[in-house]
Amino acid sequence: MAKSLMMLVNPAAGRSMSDLNLGTAVSTFALNGYCPTVFYTTAPGTASKIVEENAANYERLVCLGGDGTLSDTIAGLMTLPQRPLLGYLPNGSTNDFAASLHLSSDPRLAALDIAGGKPHPLDVG
């Protein structure tokens, strides 16, 4: 049975390549045993609300966007008593967080890391 995966996408992040990166990521997750459901942010600051309302129904949550989208996604996760594992597909213009953790900016490689990788705890402060 496929594992549930929520994908939160900021279509305005970075160089507006999120649709291309999304297709690559969705197919990579599907080929690796996940059933992705895609949610789009509709305005700055809406990621946390989308996460609060939906993330508890999924085993994993993947954020596709920049540092701001990731920060807003984490804010929503922190309100939940049970949190799904979080993966990050950096798609912003700077991606300082991803660079500091040496995360791949290639959507296929990043998706493979999330699908098959080992969870790594981080202090989100």
Side-chain angles (χ1 to χ4, degrees), residues 5-6 22-23 37-39 43 47 57-58 64 71 87 98:
L5 183 131
M6 176 182 175
L22 175 63
T37 303
V38 178
F39 294 79
N57 299 318
Y58 295 88
L64 194 156
S71 178

Side-chain angles (χ1 to χ4, degrees), residues 6-9 61-66 69-70 73 86-90:
M6 176 182 175
M7 292 187 72
L8 183 63
V9 178
L61 166 62
V62 174
C63 171
L64 194 156
T69 308
L70 178 63
T73 298
L86 174 63
Y88 181 40
L89 286 164

Side-chain angles (χ1 to χ4, degrees), residues 6-71:
M6 176 182 175
M7 292 187 72
L8 183 63
V9 178
N10 179 349
R15 297 166 196 89
S16 297
M17 296 284 292
S18 59
D19 285 336
L20 176 62
N21 293 342
L22 175 63
T24 300
V26 166
S27 63
T28 301
F29 287 126
L31 290 169
N32 284 277
Y34 286 90
C35 182
T37 303
V38 178
F39 294 79
Y40 280 90
T41 60
T42 55
T46 60
S48 60
K49 184 172 173 49
I50 295 168
V51 169
E52 287 176 32
E53 293 174 357
N54 299 283
N57 299 318
Y58 295 88
E59 296 172 58
R60 292 202 182 195
L61 166 62
V62 174
C63 171
L64 194 156
D67 290 341
T69 308
L70 178 63
S71 178

